[in-house]
C-alpha cells in the first residue's frame, strides 16, 4: 500500500517563505506530485518530481529525495491567495495503469 | 482546450433515486478517473479508465457504476445511495500513455452530491 505524511496545518506571513514537507512509503514509485486546492474548488497541479533534486516553477519549487522517501514544496513571496490546502501525491503503477494516492493535505493560512 | 467539465454542479437525491454524473474532456487524454472527496479530506480514488477500459476499481460499492462511452466521456451512475455517500465527486484525466514523463492530472470542478 501507499502512505504519506504531511503536516496538517501551517501558518505563514504574507511575503515570507514556507516549506511543506512530505514523507511517503510506497511500492512501484514513479514520482511525487503537489496539488493545490482552494476551499470549494478542485485540485490543481503545481509540480511533479520523478528524479532527485529541485524543480522550480515561478514562486513554487518542489524537491525530491528518493533515497529518503521525502519531498517538499517551497512557496516563496507568499500571497494571500496562496491560502489553500496543499496535497502531496505519489504516482505509482498498479493494475496496468498509473494512479495517484494523496496525502491528507496541509492547510496553509497566509496572514497579513 | 485544457478543461475537464462536470455536470451537474450540485445534486440532491433520495436513497431510492437513480442519477448519473457526467464528465467530459477534449484533451485527447487516455486515462480518466473518478475520485470521492469528503470535507477536509484528500481525494480518494474510486475508478480508473485507461483507453476506455476499466482498469481499477478500488473496492467501490456496486451502488456506484462507472461507464466510459468513448474516450472523451465518463459517467458515474448512482443508485440506492446512502447519506454517507454525500461528498464532492471529482473527475480527472491525464495523458499517461506510459511514455509521458509528467503526471499532471486535470481535475474537473466536481459535483457536490447530497444524499437525503
Amino acid at each position: 500500500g501507499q502512505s504519506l505524511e504531511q503536516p496538517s496545518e501551517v501558518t505563514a506571513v504574507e511575503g515570507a517563505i514556507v516549506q511543506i514537507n512530505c514523507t511517503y512509503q510506497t511500492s512501484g514509485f514513479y514520482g511525487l506530485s503537489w496539488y493545490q486546492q482552494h476551499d470549494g474548488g478542485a485540485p490543481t497541479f503545481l509540480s511533479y518530481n520523478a528524479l532527485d533534486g529541485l524543480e522550480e516553477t515561478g514562486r513554487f519549487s518542489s524537491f525530491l529525495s528518493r533515497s529518503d522517501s521525502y519531498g517538499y514544496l517551497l512557496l516563496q513571496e507568499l500571497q494571500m491567495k496562496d491560502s489553500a490546502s496543499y496535497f502531496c501525491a505519489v504516482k505509482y503503477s498498479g493494475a496496468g495503469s498509473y494512479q495517484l494516492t494523496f496525502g491528507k493535505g496541509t492547510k496553509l493560512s497566509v496572514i497579513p | 482546450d485544457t478543461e475537464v467539465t462536470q455536470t451537474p454542479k450540485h445534486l440532491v437525491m433520495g436513497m431510492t433515486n437513480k442519477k448519473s454524473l457526467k464528465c467530459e474532456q477534449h484533451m485527447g487524454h487516455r486515462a480518466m478517473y473518478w475520485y470521492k472527496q469528503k470535507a477536509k479530506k484528500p481525494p480518494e480514488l474510486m475508478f480508473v479508465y485507461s483507453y476506455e477500459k476499466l482498469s481499477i476499481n478500488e473496492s467501490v460499492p456496486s451502488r456506484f457504476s462507472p461507464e466510459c462511452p468513448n474516450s472523451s466521456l465518463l459517467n458515474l451512475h448512482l443508485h440506492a445511495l446512502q447519506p454517507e455517500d454525500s461528498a464532492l465527486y471529482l473527475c480527472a484525466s491525464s495523458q499517461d500513455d506510459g511514455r509521458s514523463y509528467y503526471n499532471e492530472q486535470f481535475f474537473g470542478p466536481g459535483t457536490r452530491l447530497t444524499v437525503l
Side-chain angles (χ1 to χ4, degrees):
Chain A
Q2 290 72 36
S3 68
L4 299 96
E5 292 287 334
Q6 55 181 124
S8 58
E9 293 184 21
V10 172
T11 300
V13 177
E14 191 177 13
I17 298 173
V18 70
Q19 178 173 314
I20 300 173
N21 298 321
C22 175
T23 58
Y24 60 87
Q25 287 185 318
T26 186
S27 55
F29 177 84
Y30 276 84
L32 187 71
S33 297
W34 289 91
Y35 285 80
Q36 178 193 61
Q37 187 176 27
H38 287 97
D39 285 346
T44 56
F45 174 82
L46 293 177
S47 186
Y48 176 66
N49 295 72
L51 304 174
D52 287 356
L54 193 68
E55 294 278 346
E56 297 181 78
T57 308
R59 293 188 298 114
F60 296 163
S61 302
S62 59
F63 172 82
L64 176 66
S65 169
R66 294 174 67 120
S67 59
D68 295 323
S69 298
Y70 164 75
Y72 66 73
L73 179 69
L74 192 73
L75 296 85
Q76 303 182 73
E77 302 172 14
L78 281 173
Q79 302 175 8
M80 300 299 290
K81 67 178 182 180
D82 297 329
S83 293
S85 291
Y86 292 84
F87 295 94
C88 59
V90 291
K91 174 184 179 181
Y92 63 99
S93 177
S97 67
Y98 299 103
Q99 302 176 65
L100 287 181
T101 293
F102 287 80
K104 293 183 178 179
T106 299
K107 186 172 178 61
L108 171 64
S109 298
V110 180
I111 59 176
Chain B
D1 183 1
T2 58
E3 191 180 38
V4 176
T5 59
Q6 289 188 245
T7 55
K9 284 189 175 182
H10 301 273
L11 179 62
V12 179
M13 60 187 291
M15 289 190 284
T16 59
N17 293 157
K18 284 185 181 181
K19 296 287 185 183
S20 296
L21 310 184
K22 296 186 183 301
C23 172
E24 191 167 2
Q25 58 90 10
H26 294 287
M27 295 176 278
H29 288 171
R30 308 310 287 185
M32 297 186 75
Y33 312 80
W34 280 115
Y35 289 88
K36 174 182 177 180
Q37 187 176 28
K38 302 281 269 185
K40 301 188 187 305
K41 298 289 187 183
E44 292 181 4
L45 183 66
M46 299 174 72
F47 302 105
V48 180
Y49 273 83
S50 180
Y51 290 84
E52 303 169 44
K53 292 192 185 326
L54 182 64
S55 62
I56 293 172
N57 174 343
E58 290 285 5
S59 303
V60 179
S62 60
R63 57 186 184 268
F64 296 92
S65 174
E67 179 196 17
C68 188
N70 60 54
S71 60
S72 300
L73 293 174
L74 190 64
N75 298 323
L76 186 63
H77 302 298
L78 314 173
H79 173 55
L81 295 193
Q82 304 296 311
E84 59 265 28
D85 296 322
S86 298
L88 180 68
Y89 288 84
L90 293 161
C91 173
S93 71
S94 68
Q95 187 172 352
D96 272 350
D97 58 4
R99 294 169 294 175
S100 60
Y101 172 83
Y102 292 103
N103 182 46
E104 181 172 1
Q105 286 192 13
F106 292 80
F107 283 81
T111 294
R112 191 160 298 281
L113 173 68
T114 303
V115 182
L116 301 176

